[in-house]
Amino acid sequence: MCPVCGVWSGRVHGSYLRFPADVPSGGRSVVLQLRVRRFTCGNSVCARRTFVEQIPGLTRRHGQRTERLRSTLAAVGLALAGRAGARIARVLGMSVSRSTVLRLVDALPEPDVPAPRVVGVEEYATRKGRHYGTVLVDIETRRPVDLLPDREACSLAAWLAERPGIEFVCRDRAPFFAEGASAGAPQALQVADRWHLWHNLSEAAERAVAQHRRCLRALVPAASEPEPEPAPEEEPSGSPWPTGHRFADRTRARHAAVHALLEAGHSLRSVQRQLGMAWHTVKRFADATKPEDLFTGQWQNRTSVLDDYKPYLDDRWKEGFTNAWKLWEEIVPLRYKGSYQRVRAYLHKKRTSPRPVTARPPSP
């Protein structure tokens, strides 16, 4: 039968040789040599003059591989994807490229997905802050079912209306999802998903603790020894970095260079080109009235493995135990994983600092 017009023809035009690749045998490549008949189309107006017969279950039109080899490569591609699948196929005696493996996987028919009973509804972003869609997941099998191009209530309602077997809709508290689920599946029970329940609970707990931040400072006892008179410092007060620190000196130098060029009448773009800095960095330096404003939130405020053990070291310091090695040996059984040098540096700072050094109160 002609593949274009569907007319049967009994006129044999000749024979044709085909060499489709087959599944390898014993690690060696196998190529079949098939002699098939070529027919002439009996329809005079058909654009296809001649066509070659196909062997059902073995060949297909314009196919360079047998159906067995195609299914084998597609199975490898489903398991390992393109690049890894091509490497394994080459070891097994099927030399193909990664693009061929992906093309065979893409040509597979869509699997028949059973109608879900419990559906999870969530949004996803194709471009964060601009374009959002809706992803629908079968909660029982944990597999995505469909993607909607937007997150409108009408789109979700239309999708749910086509599937009356849905019994539960798991969603967040977005109003458009609630409206769409009520309109499209009125028989379904709407429940809040577990992730958003925990997420909302953690945010509420953090806000409650942050409102009582002053209570956290009471957890760290104040120093009992009298505070000595602070020595005059060369740097402005409130600076967490001492003079001579390489990061502090570099920040102060950049701040001075940026403000010097701005006072000379240069624009932010001009300062960016002259100093070789990013525009946002120049803007941040320009907005800071003094370099100490740029020190907030830098590396010196990061958590340390010693933070949980500083209250214990402070208590032992007040009791008169000041030997760093002995104190390190005491906190190692308490599951301290840091080094001795951290303990020694902390105690050295307590010895040499004109102000008492204690552990910071815990963050919310």
Side-chain angles (χ1 to χ4, degrees):
M1 185 177 64
C2 179
V4 177
C5 63
V7 175
W8 286 91
S9 175
R11 292 181 296 174
V12 179
H13 186 70
S15 61
Y16 182 74
L17 283 178
R18 297 187 62 180
F19 302 92
D22 197 13
V23 177
S25 176
R28 294 179 176 272
S29 301
V30 176
V31 178
L32 303 180
Q33 180 177 344
L34 300 178
R35 183 177 295 275
V36 294
R37 294 174 295 178
R38 182 186 292 272
F39 295 94
T40 302
C41 182
N43 188 4
S44 59
V45 297
C46 180
R48 176 80 59 166
R49 296 300 181 185
T50 63
F51 57 92
V52 176
E53 66 173 337
Q54 302 296 334
I55 302 176
L58 186 63
T59 62
R60 65 172 59 186
R61 291 182 58 198
H62 309 298
Q64 300 178 357
R65 300 171 183 86
T66 62
E67 294 300 304
R68 293 187 301 177
L69 182 57
R70 289 177 61 92
S71 60
T72 302
L73 291 175
V76 172
L78 286 174
L80 301 174
R83 196 180 300 275
R87 289 198 296 263
I88 294 297
R90 193 174 299 111
V91 173
L92 298 177
M94 302 174 290
S95 181
V96 291
S97 65
R98 59 186 179 90
S99 301
T100 301
V101 176
L102 295 177
R103 187 166 56 250
L104 293 175
V105 171
D106 187 60
L108 292 175
E110 292 291 336
D112 295 332
V113 180
R117 191 178 65 91
V118 184
V119 175
V121 183
E122 185 57 273
E123 63 183 6
Y124 71 94
T126 55
R127 186 175 182 183
K128 190 175 181 180
R130 301 201 176 204
H131 304 294
Y132 287 88
T134 304
V135 57
L136 298 116
V137 181
D138 189 342
I139 299 299
E140 295 180 321
T141 61
R142 299 186 179 183
R143 291 181 176 273
V145 178
D146 203 351
L147 295 176
L148 303 181
D150 53 37
R151 52 179 179 178
E152 300 294 333
C154 57
S155 301
L156 178 61
W159 190 91
L160 294 174
E162 298 176 356
R163 296 159 179 84
I166 295 177
E167 302 177 9
F168 298 93
V169 176
C170 185
R171 60 171 182 84
D172 57 11
R173 295 185 296 176
F176 40 85
F177 287 157
E179 181 182 350
S182 301
Q187 79 285 353
L189 178 64
Q190 300 184 33
V191 297
D193 62 87
R194 181 169 51 188
W195 185 89
H196 281 94
L197 288 176
W198 281 109
H199 183 67
N200 296 337
L201 177 61
S202 63
E203 287 186 341
E206 185 176 354
R207 287 195 300 267
V209 175
Q211 293 174 357
H212 301 81
R213 186 176 299 161
R214 295 182 179 179
C215 301
L216 297 175
R217 300 175 182 173
L219 300 177
V220 180
S224 58
E225 64 257 19
E227 181 177 349
E229 291 294 331
E233 300 178 354
E234 299 180 0
E235 62 178 5
S237 60
S239 174
W241 280 347
T243 303
H245 196 284
R246 57 190 179 114
F247 294 105
D249 294 344
R250 184 177 64 183
T251 302
R252 293 188 180 97
R254 288 186 174 183
H255 182 271
V258 169
H259 281 265
L261 292 175
L262 292 176
E263 292 175 359
H266 295 274
S267 63
L268 293 179
R269 293 293 182 186
S270 176
V271 175
Q272 172 193 355
R273 289 191 297 268
Q274 294 184 48
L275 299 182
M277 301 165 59
W279 186 87
H280 293 286
T281 305
V282 175
K283 183 69 166 56
R284 185 162 56 89
F285 275 86
D287 294 340
T289 56
K290 53 184 180 179
E292 284 70 23
D293 297 339
L294 302 169
F295 294 161
T296 305
Q298 299 294 331
W299 66 272
Q300 74 278 0
N301 291 329
R302 294 180 182 176
T303 58
S304 170
V305 293
L306 190 62
D307 289 344
D308 296 337
Y309 304 91
K310 286 180 180 179
Y312 177 83
L313 296 177
D314 295 339
D315 294 339
R316 298 290 288 164
W317 182 273
K318 294 176 184 177
E319 294 174 1
F321 294 93
T322 59
N323 187 288
W325 184 266
K326 294 294 183 181
L327 291 177
W328 174 73
E329 290 181 339
E330 291 182 8
I331 62 176
V332 167
L334 302 178
R335 297 185 178 181
Y336 171 66
K337 302 297 183 181
S339 62
Y340 159 73
Q341 283 75 13
R342 286 182 181 270
V343 179
R344 185 182 63 178
Y346 179 67
L347 298 181
H348 178 73
K349 190 176 182 181
K350 292 176 72 68
R351 290 191 185 95
T352 59
S353 177
R355 298 178 181 179
V357 177
T358 58
R360 293 181 300 174
S363 64

